[in-house]
C-alpha cells in the first residue's frame, strides 16, 4: 500500500440525502449523509444539509491524507 495516492482535486456531488466526496478519478472517498426533516434527523442521528455540506467541503479541501490512515 506504500505510495498509494488519492489524486486531487477532490469534488463534491450532491445526491438525494448525501454528499459524495470523490477524487480526480471519480473514486468515492466519503459519503456524508443528511436529513432536513428535524424529527427524522433526530431519530436517525444525521446532520442537517448545511452541516453535511460544510463537512464535505472541508473533506474536499484536505491537502493530503495522513500516512497512518492509508
Amino acid at each position: 500500500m506504500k505510495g498509494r495516492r488519492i489524486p486531487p482535486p477532490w469534488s463534491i456531488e450532491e445526491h438525494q440525502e448525501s454528499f459524495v466526496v470523490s477524487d480526480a478519478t471519480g473514486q468515492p472517498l466519503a459519503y456524508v449523509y443528511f436529513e432536513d426533516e428535524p424529527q427524522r434527523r433526530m431519530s436517525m442521528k444525521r446532520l442537517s444539509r448545511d452541516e453535511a455540506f460544510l463537512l464535505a467541503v472541508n473533506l474536499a479541501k484536505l491537502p493530503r491524507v495522513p500516512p497512518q490512515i492509508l
Side-chain angles (χ1 to χ4, degrees), residues 17 33-47:
E17 54 184 36
Y33 291 92
F34 63 86
E35 178 59 58
D36 281 328
E37 189 179 317
Q39 289 289 59
R40 286 190 62 182
R41 183 170 58 236
M42 287 177 58
S43 67
M44 297 172 78
K45 298 185 180 180
R46 286 194 177 170
L47 301 170

Side-chain angles (χ1 to χ4, degrees), residues 12 14 19 32 34 47-59:
I12 301 169
E14 184 174 357
F19 290 101
V32 184
F34 63 86
L47 301 170
S48 69
R49 184 190 175 282
D50 292 340
E51 293 168 331
F53 179 71
L54 289 175
L55 180 58
V57 165
N58 283 312
L59 285 171

